[in-house]
Amino acid sequence: MTVLVAGHAVDDLYQGAVPAVVPFLVAERSYSYLAAAGITVAATLLSSVVQPLFGVLTDRRPMPWLVPVGMIVAGAGIGLCGLSSSYLFTWLAVALSGLGVAAYHPEAARLARRVSRGGHVGMGWFALGGNVGFALGPVFVTPVLAFGGLAASPVLAVPALVGGVLTWVAQRGARGNGGQPEIRAGRDDWRQFGRLTVVVIARSMVTFGLGTFLAIWVAQRVGGLIAGSVALVVLFGVGAAGTLLGGVLAERWGRIRVVRVSYALGVPAVAGVALAPGPAVYVFVALTAVTLYVPFSLHTTLGQDYLPNRLGTAGGVTLGLAVSVGGLAAPAVGALASAATLQWALLSLVVLPLVAWVAARGLAEPVRCGLEPR
C-alpha cells in the first residue's frame, strides 16, 4: 500500500504539472490564450475520455503492468513537452502524458482495493496520494523550469521513472508471495453506479472551478497575490486531511450517510466562499475543502461495490474521471465570470454540490461480498 500511495502521488503529479508548465510555454513561445487553453485540453480531454475505456479493457483482461507503464508514460509526456518549438509536438507530448494518466488509474484502483482488502481507510490513503501529488505538481515543476527553462523539461520525467521501477519491483514481489485476496464478485448494479457517476461529475466540476479561480477571487477579496496563494494551500491542505477523514467516518457512520451529509453541507460552504467578507473567506474555503474531499475515496469504494465484476471500469470513472472531467467545465465558469462577475461565477458553483446531494439521496449501500483467494 505504501508503494501504491506513493505511486499514485507520482502519477497525479503530472496532472498538476500541466497548469504549471503552461505559463512557461506562454512566456518562452508567446502562445496565445487559445493556444495555452489547447495544451490544458490536450491533457484533460484525452484523459477523461480514454480512462473509462482502459477500465473496460482491464475488466476483460487484468493488465497490472499498466500501473508502472502508465506512470512512466505520464512522466515521459511532460518530460518531452519542452523539447521542440513545434506546437503540434508539444500538444502531442502533453496528450501522451494524459494517456499515461488514463492507463494508470483503473488497474491501480483495483490493486489498492485488493491490498486494502476493501477497507475504507486503506482506499482513503490511496486517494490521498493522488490528491497530494496533484497539489505538488506546481511545486515540483516551477523551480525546475524557472532555473533551466523549457529545455530542462526532461528532468520532470525522473520521478515517473523511479516510481515506475519501484512499482514494478513491488508487483513482482507481491506475485512471488502469492498476492492478496480478491473481493468475491456479486451482481453489477448499473443504476446505482449511474447515480454515483452524476455525483462524481458534479463534485469534479465544483472542485476544478474553485481550483481555477479561487486564488484570483481571494486576492481581490482580501488583497494581494499571497492571500490568493494561501487560499489554495488551505483548499488542498485541508482537502488532503479530509480524504483520510472520509474513510474513518465511513467506518463508523456508513459511506452513504457521509456522502449525503458532506454535499448537503457543501451548499452553504461554497456560497460562503463567494459571499464572506474579508479574511472570513478562509473559514469557508476550509469548510468547502472538507465537504468536497471527505467523499472522494468513498466514491471509489462505492463504485467498486456497485460494479464488483468491473473494478477497472469503476476505478476509471470514480477515480480517474473525477480528476479530469472537471477541467472541461472550468472554461464555462470563466465565461460566466467574463459575462457577469467572478463573484456570480463562483456563486453559480453552489448548484453543483446541490446536484451531488440530490443524486446521492438515491444511492443505497451496496451489499459487500466476502474475500476469497486469488
Side-chain angles (χ1 to χ4, degrees), residues 4-16 104-105 123-137 240 243 293 296 319 323:
L4 283 171
V5 171
H8 197 191
V10 171
D11 183 79
D12 282 12
L13 178 148
Y14 293 102
Q15 285 195 316
Y104 171 88
H105 279 107
M123 287 301 294
W125 278 104
F126 178 68
L128 173 66
N131 288 330
V132 170
F134 188 90
L136 289 179
T243 303
Y293 282 88
F296 185 76
L319 197 59
V323 176

Side-chain angles (χ1 to χ4, degrees), residues 10-362:
V10 171
D11 183 79
D12 282 12
L13 178 148
Y14 293 102
Q15 285 195 316
V18 175
V21 169
V22 167
F24 290 94
L25 293 172
V26 172
E28 288 195 26
R29 300 179 183 172
S30 301
Y31 283 178
S32 66
Y33 289 127
L34 181 61
I39 296 297
T40 302
V41 169
T44 25
L45 180 61
L46 188 63
S47 182
S48 61
V49 170
V50 175
Q51 206 142 191
L53 297 181
F54 273 109
V56 172
L57 290 175
T58 57
D59 284 332
R60 294 180 178 178
R61 181 179 180 182
M63 304 176 185
W65 54 269
L66 280 177
V67 178
V69 170
M71 189 188 308
I72 291 172
V73 171
I78 296 299
L80 291 171
C81 72
L83 296 185
S84 173
S85 59
S86 166
Y87 181 82
L88 178 60
F89 180 92
T90 302
W91 193 95
L92 290 175
V94 174
L96 178 67
S97 179
L99 184 65
V101 170
Y104 171 88
H105 279 107
E107 275 294 329
R110 186 201 306 272
L111 288 174
R113 176 182 172 90
R114 180 184 305 160
V115 173
S116 67
R117 301 178 64 88
H120 304 319
V121 175
M123 287 301 294
W125 278 104
F126 178 68
L128 173 66
N131 288 330
V132 170
F134 188 90
L136 289 179
V139 177
F140 173 58
V141 169
T142 301
V144 172
L145 298 189
F147 179 78
L150 291 173
S153 66
V155 176
L156 302 178
V158 172
L161 294 174
V162 174
V165 170
L166 291 178
T167 301
W168 178 77
V169 171
Q171 284 181 319
R172 289 184 60 86
R175 285 197 294 270
N177 291 327
Q180 298 290 331
E182 292 274 17
I183 306 296
R184 188 184 305 129
R187 179 178 297 179
D188 293 331
D189 190 340
W190 286 101
R191 183 184 297 273
Q192 289 288 295
F193 187 75
R195 288 182 180 273
L196 179 64
T197 301
V198 173
V199 174
V200 167
I201 292 175
R203 183 259 179 201
S204 179
M205 287 180 175
V206 67
T207 303
F208 263 84
L210 284 174
T212 303
F213 297 104
L214 180 64
I216 300 173
W217 170 244
V218 173
Q220 295 174 0
R221 199 73 166 172
V222 179
L225 295 177
I226 294 178
S229 298
V230 170
L232 287 179
V233 171
V234 172
L235 179 67
F236 293 127
V238 175
T243 303
L244 282 180
L245 179 62
V248 174
L249 293 177
E251 294 283 359
R252 181 169 184 178
W253 303 107
R255 291 174 292 182
I256 301 299
R257 179 183 296 180
V258 172
V259 169
R260 289 173 181 168
V261 171
S262 295
Y263 289 120
L265 295 176
V267 175
V270 174
V273 172
L275 299 175
V281 70
Y282 291 113
V283 175
F284 287 96
V285 170
L287 292 175
T288 298
V290 172
T291 63
L292 294 179
Y293 282 88
V294 160
F296 185 76
S297 66
L298 307 183
H299 295 161
T300 302
T301 59
L302 280 169
Q304 290 176 330
D305 285 342
Y306 286 140
L307 301 183
N309 298 295
R310 293 173 173 83
L311 298 182
T313 299
V317 171
T318 59
L319 197 59
L321 195 65
V323 176
S324 55
V325 74
L328 304 180
V333 180
L336 181 57
S338 299
T341 65
L342 182 54
Q343 183 177 42
W344 275 107
L346 292 177
L347 197 57
S348 71
L349 296 176
V350 170
V351 174
L352 295 169
L354 181 61
V355 169
W357 175 74
V358 171
R361 283 179 58 83

